[in-house]
Amino acid sequence: MRATRARSFRAAALACAVLSAAGTLSACGLGGADQPTIAHKHALTIGVKEDQPSLGVKEKNGTYQGFDVDVATYIAGRLGVPKDRITWRTTNSSVREKALADGTVDMIVATYSITAKRKRVVTFAGPYYVAHQDTLVAPGNSAIHAVRDLKGRKICAVTGSNSWRRVIEERKIAAVPVQAPTYGACMDDLAAGKLDAVSTDDLILAGFAAGRPGKIINAPFTDEKYGVGLKKGDLEGCEQINRAITAMYQDGTAARLLTKWFGKSGLKLTTSVPQFEGCS
């Protein structure tokens, strides 16, 4: 029996070597249909936020709604997965990489900015939108007009987010970071007077500003490329999602969704296909 298994193993190894030389790896479980990818799944678990108004909010009945949710639904449809075969999972900034790596979610559409550091452990499709970092201050605050005015001010530092680092580390502005688990918690702290400002992507701020006291200072200072996060190495899934994003802009869906969720925000919305980063 052992001899037979050994001969079978050697035969399989030889076949894989031949296929490898021919550039065909799927039969060896090293690529093609056997490579882990969302491209051929019949159902998807998608990570989103649950506390970001207009982007990702979990309703009392357990459903999710927002721009990111609609974008994810459109992309899934283009991949052949209808809405009734999508499972939504709250995925906060602090656990996004882990959730993709361990398969808790198949993809993440949750204001997930593409960065060089993140690209080492995550494959990103997109971006599906390019936002810009801005700053929200409490009503009546007339001392903060630009990012440089955050010097010495208390700003929110959400676990797993890069926004506060862009102020303190990239811009070298000596603001005071105050830790919080989510941007919803940031808004509560701002309302309670524990913070002077919340600085992050303008779409996130616009969603919160629509339902809470505060004002966006309209002084953007970065480009935030929102990507669709995939398990590292899923290049086939990445390429298919990029085609879906292109279609979303070309058929007018992106413009319709942006207007639906942010049309009254006063932000200048971009409705042309973003420049993709390339799958890696």
Side-chain angles (χ1 to χ4, degrees):
M1 177 66 78
R2 289 181 180 177
T4 300
R5 287 179 178 174
R7 285 195 297 271
S8 297
F9 180 81
R10 287 195 295 270
L14 177 60
C16 283
V18 172
L19 288 170
S20 178
T24 306
L25 297 177
S26 58
C28 303
L30 300 174
D34 291 332
Q35 180 72 24
T37 178
I38 68 166
H40 309 295
K41 282 184 170 262
H42 298 293
L44 290 170
T45 299
I46 302 177
V48 291
K49 294 292 182 65
E50 68 169 25
D51 69 337
Q52 290 185 347
S54 298
L55 286 157
V57 171
K58 188 176 183 179
E59 301 295 332
K60 292 181 180 179
N61 63 5
T63 62
Y64 291 78
Q65 68 169 358
F67 176 68
D68 282 350
V69 177
D70 285 350
V71 168
T73 301
Y74 180 94
I75 290 172
R78 282 277 170 172
L79 295 176
V81 178
K83 189 173 182 178
D84 62 1
R85 293 208 298 266
I86 297 173
T87 298
W88 303 101
R89 189 178 297 278
T90 299
T91 310
N92 292 330
S93 299
S94 59
V95 300
R96 288 181 296 203
E97 287 79 18
K98 182 179 184 298
L100 287 170
D102 65 19
T104 301
V105 297
D106 297 304
M107 70 180 191
I108 293 177
V109 186
T111 60
Y112 201 1
S113 295
I114 302 170
T115 68
K117 182 178 179 180
R118 288 172 178 165
K119 286 173 75 172
R120 296 181 195 141
V121 293
V122 174
T123 289
F124 282 103
Y128 62 90
Y129 191 75
V130 180
H132 308 282
Q133 185 163 337
D134 211 319
T135 304
L136 178 75
V137 299
N141 187 320
S142 58
I144 300 174
H145 303 282
V147 65
R148 64 179 177 275
D149 297 326
L150 295 176
K151 180 179 180 180
R153 309 281 183 175
K154 294 179 181 179
I155 66 171
C156 204
V158 172
T159 305
S161 173
N162 284 323
S163 295
W164 66 275
R165 297 183 186 278
R166 296 193 188 283
V167 174
I168 296 174
E169 297 177 5
E170 294 183 10
R171 294 300 188 282
K172 307 299 182 185
I173 295 168
V176 180
V178 177
Q179 297 295 321
T182 66
Y183 280 106
C186 289
M187 298 304 162
D188 292 339
D189 288 347
L190 183 67
K194 298 177 182 178
L195 296 171
D196 296 301
V198 178
S199 185
T200 190
D201 311 347
D202 52 7
L203 291 191
I204 295 175
L205 296 178
F208 280 113
R212 298 177 183 234
K215 64 176 182 178
I216 301 174
I217 64 174
N218 285 313
F221 58 93
T222 67
D223 288 339
E224 300 297 329
K225 301 175 182 180
Y226 287 171
V228 177
L230 301 173
K231 191 169 186 176
K232 185 65 176 175
D234 187 2
L235 304 188
E236 183 179 1
C238 176
E239 290 167 358
Q240 289 201 19
I241 291 174
N242 281 348
R243 287 194 287 271
I245 293 170
T246 299
M248 183 177 71
Y249 277 87
Q250 291 179 341
D251 68 16
T253 299
R256 177 176 59 80
L257 294 179
L258 286 164
T259 301
K260 171 185 175 181
W261 293 108
F262 303 105
K264 297 180 180 179
S265 69
L267 297 178
K268 184 178 179 180
L269 301 170
T270 302
T271 57
S272 55
V273 183
Q275 182 176 347
F276 295 150
E277 289 283 295
C279 300
S280 62

